[in-house]
Amino acid sequence: MAPLLEIQGLTTRFDLPTGVLRAVEGVDLTLEPGETLALVGESGCGKSITAASIMRLVPPPGRIVAGSVLFKGVDLLRLPEDQMRDIRGNRIAMVFQDPMTSLNPVFTIGNQVAEGLRIHRGLSQRVAEAEAVEILSLVGIPAPRERLRDYPHQLSGGMRQRVMIAMALACRPELVIADEPTTALDVTIQAQILELLDRLMAETRMGLILITHNLGIVAERAQRTAIMYAGQIVEQAPTAELFENPLHPYTRGLLASLPESAEPGQKLATVAGSVPDLKQELAGCPFKERCPICDEACATHKPGMKEAGPHHLVRCLKAP
């Protein structure tokens, strides 16, 4: 069976007055129908720009300069914009990180949730609103019919996030890209949303790319995990394998920083330093300044991705 999504060599840059920012550099990813792929890394690693690139929503002065994004065999980067609009929000949906910048402040919640149903599924206003009530209820919004008349500013941050998730799921897409979808939600609602996604995936074979900092959610929900650093995928493996046998020093650092990794009374481990300036042409390994096992070769040679085991890929000169 062909992958639902196959990304090859995706490269996105921003032409800034201070130089070219290399936000995404040669990313390769695949996603099967019904699979959850977690994309993990600290802020500034390129996760959200990778998602925006898949959707062809990179804001100017950003531009996709190379690669392909095959959705069920069709390269999204080569489609005319009108065909891409038919796919975006209908067959592929995205849950954005900040609902206040994604929800239109001058339209009601009902109008915004029903809009995709009217445009993509041709429903009447009345039928679309009825379906909007149902999907708002599914994502845990109380009194959903009353909420249809509310504006975004009248809802809490957690409620707005649930509205964003409802909008993404309304047309029953084949692929959802969720950028930190549960960050603003309490633990109970977070579990409800994740269970809803699980149920939809089981019913429809929907694929999910889950961008998150929460490694607990990754361990519970993702079949495969890709670790991103400085615009590149540095390690990719089945999730259980990655947690049991992390090979890249960055992956090891992220896992060591989990609270459960520390002994009682012991300070949490951290990954020292910060992501390098992506406007600079980086010599050698991008992680070399923060790496505890870096040597002279790492300072001068750029590591390529290599296979370290069945379905386990790593970008490190010193990995086995």
Side-chain angles (χ1 to χ4, degrees):
M1 183 187 297
L4 178 65
L5 186 73
E6 186 173 11
I7 302 170
Q8 296 179 334
L10 181 62
T11 303
T12 302
R13 293 180 177 164
F14 285 76
D15 299 313
L16 305 175
T18 52
V20 176
L21 188 146
R22 298 164 178 81
V24 178
E25 282 289 293
V27 163
D28 297 335
L29 289 171
T30 60
L31 181 72
E32 302 296 330
E35 182 183 35
T36 297
L37 171 68
L39 191 56
V40 178
E42 64 198 297
S43 298
C45 283
K47 305 183 303 299
S48 295
I49 295 300
T50 297
S53 299
I54 295 170
M55 299 289 286
R56 277 178 43 185
L57 291 173
V58 178
R63 57 193 174 94
I64 300 168
V65 299
S68 61
V69 177
L70 301 179
F71 174 63
K72 303 188 82 169
V74 175
D75 190 352
L76 300 180
L77 303 186
R78 306 289 180 266
L79 283 182
E81 179 56 30
D82 60 337
Q83 292 182 35
M84 189 64 203
R85 277 197 302 269
D86 288 340
I87 290 174
R88 197 187 291 128
N90 181 23
R91 298 177 65 194
I92 304 177
M94 185 163 175
V95 181
F96 293 92
Q97 193 167 358
D98 183 0
M100 272 312 279
T101 61
S102 304
L103 293 171
N104 193 318
V106 301
F107 289 104
T108 64
I109 297 303
N111 185 287
Q112 294 184 67
V113 176
E115 182 182 27
L117 295 165
R118 295 196 309 271
I119 292 172
H120 295 300
R121 290 172 54 187
L123 302 184
S124 68
Q125 178 70 21
R126 183 179 60 81
V127 174
E129 283 199 0
E131 290 224 8
V133 170
E134 183 179 344
I135 194 70
L136 288 174
S137 177
L138 280 174
V139 298
I141 290 183
R145 187 169 297 281
E146 286 73 17
R147 297 289 78 74
L148 292 182
R149 309 293 171 238
D150 287 346
Y151 289 87
H153 74 272
Q154 294 175 283
L155 303 182
S156 67
M159 293 271 272
R160 288 194 293 265
Q161 188 67 13
R162 279 179 266 176
V163 170
M164 285 294 302
I165 294 167
M167 289 170 62
L169 299 178
C171 291
R172 299 297 192 268
E174 296 162 77
L175 168 63
V176 170
I177 303 170
D179 191 354
E180 299 283 359
T182 59
T183 298
L185 307 179
D186 64 46
V187 175
T188 303
I189 298 300
Q190 185 179 96
Q192 290 175 4
I193 294 298
L194 292 170
E195 285 165 10
L196 172 62
L197 289 171
D198 285 347
R199 188 164 72 249
L200 285 173
M201 291 174 73
E203 291 172 0
T204 67
R205 300 282 291 160
M206 177 184 86
L208 175 65
I209 296 177
L210 179 63
I211 299 172
T212 182
H213 290 91
N214 190 327
L215 290 168
I217 290 176
V218 171
E220 291 176 7
R221 304 283 172 174
Q223 285 79 53
R224 286 188 303 121
T225 299
I227 305 295
M228 195 164 192
Y229 184 77
Q232 297 181 320
I233 304 298
V234 297
E235 188 164 5
Q236 186 176 168
T239 301
E241 161 71 12
L242 187 101
F243 274 68
E244 187 175 321
N245 184 31
L247 298 177
H248 197 282
Y250 182 58
T251 309
R252 291 175 184 162
L254 290 177
L255 294 175
S257 67
L258 289 171
E260 53 266 36
S261 300
E263 296 293 330
Q266 180 185 7
K267 283 187 176 180
L268 285 178
T270 60
V271 181
S274 56
V275 179
D277 183 357
L278 299 183
K279 294 192 294 296
Q280 303 295 323
E281 184 70 54
L282 301 174
C285 175
F287 191 60
K288 62 182 184 294
E289 301 294 342
R290 309 173 71 184
C291 181
I293 60 171
C294 172
D295 62 15
E296 289 183 11
C298 303
T300 56
H301 292 77
K302 286 186 182 294
M305 192 70 94
K306 61 185 179 183
E307 192 165 354
H311 310 293
H312 195 154
L313 303 173
V314 63
R315 190 184 300 273
C316 178
L317 296 175
K318 306 196 75 173

